[in-house]
Amino acid sequence: MEKNFDVIVIGGGPGGYVCAIRAAQLGLKTACVESRGTLGGTCLNVGCIPSKSLLNLSENYQNAKKDFNQQGIEISNIKLNIKKMMSSKDKSVQILTKGVEFLFKKNKVIYLKGKGVIFSKNDVVVYDEGKKTSYKTKNIVIATGSTPASLPGIEINEENIISSTGALSLNKVPNKLIVIGGGYIGLEMSSLWSRLGSEVTVIEYLDFITPGMDREISKEFEKILTKQGIKFKLSSKVTSIKDNSNLVSVEFINNKTSKKEKAEAEKVLVSVGRKSYTEGLNLSKVGVKKDDKGRIKVNNRFQTSISNIYAIGDVIKGPMLAHKAEEEGIAVAEILAGQAGHVNYDVIPGVIYTSPEVASVGKTEEQLKELNIAYKVGKFPFLANSRAKVNNKTDGFVKVLADSKTDKVLGTHIIGPHCGDMIAEMALAMEFGASAEDIARTCHAHPTHTEAIKEAALAVDKRSIHF
Ligand SMILES: Cc1cc2nc3c(=O)[nH]c(=O)nc-3n(C[C@H](O)[C@H](O)[C@H](O)COP(=O)(O)OP(=O)(O)OC[C@H]3O[C@@H](n4cnc5c(N)ncnc54)[C@H](O)[C@@H]3O)c2cc1C
């Protein structure tokens, strides 16, 4: 068994496994250590993939229950089999995690099962079920990701007080679900369980949901989710959560009025963000420094305070997104192989996979105002898009922000059907430095949802055709 490597990647999530594959493609002798037992990290095991699987399945269930009969598809006795739904989700996860193992074999990445500990800048020890194996390496990439955060004094027991991991494997639909935190994970979980029959209440500290999102989109999103039956308690600070075995009680106080309230539910999902995970890596002994938020500090070449130890993904600063971690993984592999290695942080799309989806790339209106950049806005509602109309999914709109002087696209924010896929067009446009005029003059197939993007780009110069 090989014991000497050019690079050892610790963590087999989207940051780590992509970095390992790219490094091996570039001719570096590469190993990847993963302690979970399966590859793919948070994303494939307990994040992006199981959540999108259940979101899709729950939407199918809801469509069958609510819409099919009206559309001339007559079915009766629709029953939910949550066990079957969960095993369908588990199967998808298994196929994809096994797929990464196959990719490792194909690219000659050595998969080291166990917990990786850094003993020195050139020594990694892997612990696996009492067995200890030492490896030498020229470089180390830390890609150990993140874990769910909680509120002070509140313990997530994964029984009645759960994290997203627990929310992705419930074996029964809770009658009532309280979700603490109105960010993207909390809202995806809210949609999922609300579609399956839970009465969902979201408690959010701020007076708006999805912080960081363009505020106009966030307001529309809240309106649409409310219409779908999700209740919101905004400007509310949770002061205590008590698990009384059959019911969990949550006390919260309104930040503005100081009014105290109490709510009860079978399950409470704590979804207040995630924190970088570095436990057991031995960082302080080796001299790898962290910032005040516990994230590993890196320079613009992803080097930590020890120059041959790199860090990427959720364990460093920046949006906690799988595709951001992947881009950083590729950049580090290319840097290690003597190439440039670069990530354009101005063009990292973000998607919320509810129905309708929400997607954005680039600057929000609020950010442009703060930066004092003069901009023009073009908007187009899906109500005027023929594809959305025939599919009877007309909620939402496209908003394109372009520079007032140069017309360069600075940001695009969409709430509407399939926009999680559509946003790629605008990410590409921004990478190429496109103007709103470029988008407006590009022929878009009819009838497609993407025509709403073209129309919003036309609307930047007040010449939209269909609205
Ligand atoms: C419910 C949910 C839904 C999400 N949905 C999306 C989405 O739709 N789109 C999106 O872009 N992002 C989504 N995310 C975020 C995404 O999962 C993360 O941003 C991404 O997984 C980060 O990748 P990473 O490689 O940095 O870390 P991770 O995926 O967290 O992987 C780190 C891996 O390192 C391993 N590890 C840690 N320490 C050690 C050690 N010492 N030795 C060996 N192995 C170790 C861990 O076991 C883990 O497998 C979601 C997250 C959650 C929780």
Side-chain angles (χ1 to χ4, degrees):
M1 175 74 165
E2 185 61 63
K3 293 281 174 60
N4 279 288
F5 292 97
D6 292 320
V7 53
I8 293 183
V9 182
I10 305 181
Y17 86 72
V18 168
C19 180
I21 291 174
R22 185 72 188 121
Q25 280 177 352
L26 290 165
L28 300 173
K29 221 192 286 169
T30 308
C32 180
V33 194
E34 172 55 60
S35 57
R36 188 186 290 273
T38 50
L39 291 169
T42 301
C43 173
L44 266 62
N45 290 281
V46 291
C48 326
I49 296 303
S51 60
K52 267 81 258 183
S53 166
L54 289 176
L55 279 160
N56 176 50
L57 297 168
S58 61
E59 195 177 1
N60 289 348
Y61 171 68
Q62 194 185 44
N63 288 343
K65 237 179 126 184
K66 288 202 172 155
D67 299 336
F68 280 6
N69 278 300
Q70 284 165 30
Q71 296 165 356
I73 307 161
E74 294 183 356
I75 39 174
S76 51
N77 279 332
I78 299 163
K79 273 205 307 216
L80 176 67
N81 184 331
I82 192 83
K83 256 193 173 162
K84 237 182 178 171
M85 195 177 265
M86 287 295 166
S87 63
S88 167
K89 174 257 310 178
D90 292 340
K91 216 166 152 192
S92 305
V93 168
Q94 201 192 13
I95 290 169
L96 287 166
T97 55
K98 281 277 166 210
V100 179
E101 240 177 270
F102 164 78
L103 292 174
F104 270 13
K105 281 195 189 116
K106 183 180 164 214
N107 288 283
K108 299 191 173 49
V109 174
I110 305 296
Y111 173 17
L112 304 174
K113 289 185 187 166
K115 176 117 185 147
V117 180
I118 305 172
F119 265 65
S120 82
K121 66 190 187 61
N122 298 108
D123 294 281
V124 171
V125 172
V126 177
Y127 292 89
D128 185 30
E129 293 172 358
K131 213 175 105 210
K132 176 183 165 186
T133 318
S134 305
Y135 299 90
K136 286 264 172 218
T137 182
K138 289 182 190 147
N139 301 286
I140 296 170
V141 180
I142 303 171
T144 49
S146 62
T147 50
S150 188
L151 293 166
I154 287 156
E155 197 197 329
I156 297 173
N157 56 25
E158 296 298 6
E159 281 181 20
N160 295 330
I161 304 174
I162 56 177
S163 70
S164 56
T165 305
L168 290 169
S169 52
L170 296 178
N171 55 15
K172 184 175 163 280
V173 180
N175 287 334
K176 285 188 182 181
L177 171 71
I178 293 174
V179 176
I180 301 172
Y184 77 94
I185 295 177
L187 296 176
E188 286 185 355
M189 295 300 109
S190 300
S191 281
L192 154 56
W193 289 106
S194 157
R195 287 172 193 163
L196 297 181
S198 277
E199 193 184 294
V200 178
T201 305
V202 177
I203 304 178
E204 166 58 52
Y205 182 81
L206 299 169
D207 61 358
F208 54 90
I209 58 169
T210 53
M213 181 186 285
D214 189 276
R215 200 60 59 82
E216 202 180 355
I217 298 275
S218 147
K219 276 190 192 141
E220 184 70 12
F221 191 30
E222 186 197 327
K223 239 194 272 168
I224 293 171
L225 291 177
T226 304
K227 211 167 68 184
Q228 292 176 358
I230 295 172
K231 295 192 183 98
F232 288 94
K233 294 279 183 186
L234 301 179
S235 307
S236 295
K237 181 181 172 180
V238 170
T239 50
S240 86
I241 308 180
K242 281 201 193 89
D243 186 354
N244 310 311
S245 290
N246 54 343
L247 274 184
V248 187
S249 60
V250 179
E251 291 181 338
F252 52 101
I253 182 162
N254 189 292
N255 297 333
K256 289 179 180 160
T257 62
S258 298
K259 189 182 153 205
K260 286 182 182 165
E261 282 188 71
K262 190 175 164 180
E264 284 184 329
E266 262 173 85
K267 302 278 175 195
V268 171
L269 163 62
V270 181
S271 184
V272 292
R274 295 181 61 81
K275 52 178 198 268
S276 301
Y277 181 76
T278 56
E279 244 174 76
L281 279 174
N282 206 25
L283 294 188
S284 53
K285 278 249 172 74
V286 185
V288 171
K289 299 222 162 62
K290 294 198 262 182
D291 66 15
D292 54 358
K293 290 187 173 141
R295 302 170 300 194
I296 295 178
K297 273 190 191 172
V298 290
N299 64 16
N300 60 3
R301 288 173 64 79
F302 305 98
Q303 284 167 305
T304 66
S305 31
I306 306 294
S307 64
N308 72 323
I309 303 182
Y310 296 76
I312 54 169
D314 280 10
V315 84
I316 65 168
K317 66 177 190 257
M320 285 187 169
L321 292 170
H323 42 281
K324 175 259 191 191
E326 289 186 29
E327 293 303 321
E328 290 176 343
I330 287 173
V332 165
E334 293 181 347
I335 287 168
L336 290 175
Q339 299 183 2
H342 171 72
V343 178
N344 181 1
Y345 289 99
D346 287 335
V347 185
I348 307 263
V351 178
I352 307 178
Y353 297 82
T354 44
S355 182
E357 292 180 344
V358 185
S360 68
V361 65
K363 298 270 185 290
T364 63
E365 249 196 284
E366 290 72 31
Q367 286 169 331
L368 291 175
K369 279 181 192 148
E370 214 177 289
L371 292 166
N372 245 330
I373 297 173
Y375 61 92
K376 302 177 281 185
V377 185
K379 277 193 281 186
F380 189 80
F382 281 100
L383 196 63
N385 171 271
S386 53
R387 186 68 184 275
K389 262 228 156 354
V390 294
N391 288 351
N392 209 13
K393 302 258 184 213
T394 52
D395 278 339
F397 58 91
V398 178
K399 174 173 177 178
V400 173
L401 301 170
D403 190 289
S404 284
K405 283 194 210 111
T406 64
D407 196 40
K408 189 174 173 183
V409 176
L410 302 173
T412 299
H413 308 278
I414 316 177
I415 180 164
H418 306 287
C419 67
D421 290 313
M422 281 157 58
I423 201 69
E425 173 182 354
M426 295 313 273
L428 187 69
M430 286 183 73
E431 280 289 354
F432 279 76
S435 61
E437 178 81 15
D438 290 326
I439 310 294
R441 292 213 175 265
T442 301
C443 184
H444 287 67
H446 173 77
T448 61
H449 295 105
T450 64
E451 286 173 289
I453 290 188
K454 178 187 168 101
E455 289 275 4
L458 281 165
V460 166
D461 268 335
K462 301 189 175 39
R463 56 197 168 104
S464 127
I465 301 291
H466 292 91
F467 190 66

